[in-house]
């Protein structure tokens, strides 16, 4: 059934990827009865035939009232999606093979509550409601296979509220790919030897070399207090240590010439994560691109992994 569903999706709106934000209107909302709704329709039809056959006015009135309720529930399901606004689609990059946690920002422009909203993207699904809050951020686990930009498929937003007789749904096709980092090498060689000047240092609570003694400040750890020196001066003194900044690790693409392109990317991704864990400054050299770094921290790691992910 999946190929047939994809053919039908091509006929639904939107027929191409669209930039966000997007507001759902009546021309892109579809409504069809559920299985329970079909059963209720057959039951009402039998009630109408019986009431007309036996000229039973109370039964006829009851069937018409139930039919009017079903029609009202159809309009209510349509109103659950009408005016709903999809603001953004975002996700923190992850390594290939790890599920991507995609966040979908939904908002409403009126005071009507939205209940029982279901969001589907492939095999991933999530549920949310907009009762008192004007915004909701449902999350979906999207599987990843390869590095680079992940082009999103159509996202279906549906609901069966208020009575479950019909299902109203609409499609959103964001023109906003998500970034997937390369998968690091599982077992590989250690980081290459560093280069540069390692004589510089910085203050660090877990350092090894004593730098100085300073007056105690609120929040200092008790183990850092120099009790002997404090007893001589009748005031608390705290030890400050220093740690070497470490040498600069150069990660050069050309030095991995015997490996294939994907193996080079996996090894460099592993070395970038290892340098970040060890607190070492790293410089990444890629063909046809300016050097990245030397640097340290989340921004430098993201810049390096992004450059590796987007390599051809």
């Amino acid at each position: 059934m999946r190929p047939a569903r994809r053919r039908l999706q091509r006929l639904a709106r939107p027929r191409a990827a669209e930039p966000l934000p997007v507001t759902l209107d009546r021309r892109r909302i579809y409504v069809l009865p559920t299985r329970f709704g079909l059963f209720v329709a057959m039951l009402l039809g039998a009630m109408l035939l019986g009431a007309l056959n036996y000229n039973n006015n109370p039964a006829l009135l009851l069937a018409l009232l139930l039919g009017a309720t079903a029609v009202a529930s159809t309009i209510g399901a349509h109103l659950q999606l009408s005016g709903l606004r999809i603001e953004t689609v975002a996700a923190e990059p992850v390594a290939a093979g790890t599920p991507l946690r995609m966040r979908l920002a939904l908002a409403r422009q009126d005071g009507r509550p939205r209940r029982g909203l279901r969001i589907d993207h492939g095999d991933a699904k999530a549920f949310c409601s907009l009762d008192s809050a004007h915004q909701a951020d449902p999350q979906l686990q999207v599987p990843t296979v390869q590095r680079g930009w992940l082009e999103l498929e159509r996202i279906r937003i549906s609901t069966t509220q208020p009575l479950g007789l019909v299902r109203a749904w609409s499609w959103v096709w964001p023109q906003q790919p998500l970034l997937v980092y390369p998968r690091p090498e599982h077992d590989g060689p250690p980081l290459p030897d560093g280069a540069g000047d390692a004589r510089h240092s910085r203050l660090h609570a877990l350092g090894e070399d004593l730098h100085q003694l300073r007056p105690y400040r609120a929040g200092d750890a008790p183990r850092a207090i120099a009790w002997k020196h404090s007893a001589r001066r009748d005031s608390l003194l705290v030890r400050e240590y220093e740690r070497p900044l470490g040498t600069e690790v150069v990660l050069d693409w050309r030095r991995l010439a015997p490996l294939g392109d994907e193996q080079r990317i996996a090894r460099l991704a592993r070395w970038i994560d290892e340098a970040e864990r060890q607190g070492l400054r790293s410089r990444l050299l890629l063909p046809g691109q300016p050097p990245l770094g030397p640097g340290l921290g989340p921004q430098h790691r993201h810049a390096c992994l992004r450059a590796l992910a987007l390599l051809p």
Side-chain angles (χ1 to χ4, degrees):
M1 297 295 293
R2 186 168 295 180
R5 290 178 180 176
R6 290 182 177 177
R7 295 191 190 97
L8 291 176
Q9 289 178 11
R10 296 174 184 174
L11 302 177
R13 295 177 179 174
R15 297 182 177 88
E18 55 187 352
L20 298 180
V22 171
T23 302
L24 303 182
D25 56 11
R26 59 181 179 83
R27 287 175 289 187
R28 57 189 297 166
I29 299 175
Y30 305 91
V31 181
L32 281 178
T34 60
R35 294 181 180 180
F36 176 64
L38 292 175
F39 170 76
V40 171
M42 294 175 58
L43 182 62
L44 290 178
M47 291 178 60
L48 285 173
L49 289 177
L52 291 174
N53 186 35
Y54 292 99
N55 197 18
N56 191 331
N57 291 332
L60 182 62
L61 178 61
L62 177 61
L64 293 177
L65 288 176
L66 293 176
T69 303
V71 173
S73 69
T74 304
I75 300 175
H78 186 278
L79 291 177
Q80 290 288 319
L81 299 183
S82 180
L84 192 65
R85 185 179 178 87
I86 295 86
E87 300 283 351
T88 58
V89 173
E92 293 293 333
V94 296
T98 305
L100 194 70
R101 184 174 296 180
M102 181 177 67
R103 298 185 304 274
L104 193 68
L106 303 179
R108 58 178 182 174
Q109 298 179 339
D110 48 38
R112 296 197 313 269
R114 281 14 183 237
R115 300 186 179 94
L117 297 179
R118 173 173 172 170
I119 297 93
D120 293 271
H121 180 272
D123 296 331
K125 61 182 178 180
F127 298 90
C128 70
S129 298
L130 284 82
D131 293 331
S132 58
H134 288 272
Q135 291 185 349
D137 298 310
Q139 298 184 2
L140 295 91
Q141 298 287 341
V142 180
T144 59
V145 178
Q146 59 184 8
R147 62 180 176 86
W149 292 116
L150 175 63
E151 299 292 341
L152 296 178
E153 302 177 0
R154 292 170 179 261
I155 301 174
R156 189 181 73 166
I157 304 176
S158 61
T159 182
T160 57
Q161 294 292 324
L163 298 179
L165 299 177
V166 297
R167 182 182 303 276
W169 76 92
S170 182
W171 297 99
V172 179
W173 196 351
Q175 193 181 23
Q176 186 175 346
L178 303 177
L179 183 64
V180 179
Y181 288 154
R183 182 182 303 174
E185 188 179 20
H186 180 63
D187 290 325
L191 281 170
D193 295 334
D197 189 3
R199 293 174 297 177
H200 300 286
S201 60
R202 62 176 176 180
L203 297 179
H204 198 281
L206 301 178
E208 299 176 355
D209 300 329
L210 180 62
H211 178 67
Q212 64 179 0
L213 295 174
R214 62 168 177 82
Y216 174 83
R217 292 195 294 261
D220 289 335
R223 61 181 179 180
I225 299 177
W227 296 105
K228 293 183 178 181
H229 296 84
S230 301
R232 296 173 185 172
R233 299 186 54 179
D234 290 334
S235 62
L236 291 179
L237 298 178
V238 177
R239 301 186 186 93
E240 277 192 338
Y241 296 91
E242 62 181 7
R243 168 182 287 184
L245 283 176
T247 57
E248 173 189 321
V249 179
V250 179
L251 307 177
D252 194 348
W253 174 275
R254 294 170 297 180
R255 295 183 181 178
L256 302 177
L259 301 178
D261 290 346
E262 292 301 325
Q263 292 179 333
R264 294 191 199 185
I265 293 174
R267 181 163 299 180
L268 290 174
R270 178 181 178 274
W271 281 350
I272 290 171
D273 290 338
E274 188 67 23
E276 185 68 22
R277 283 193 295 267
Q278 296 183 16
L280 300 176
R281 294 163 58 86
S282 61
R283 180 196 299 268
L284 180 62
L285 303 178
L286 296 178
Q289 299 185 21
L292 294 174
L296 179 64
Q299 294 183 354
H300 176 69
R301 175 180 177 271
H302 170 72
C304 294
L305 292 179
R306 185 180 188 276
L308 291 174
L310 299 182
L311 282 176

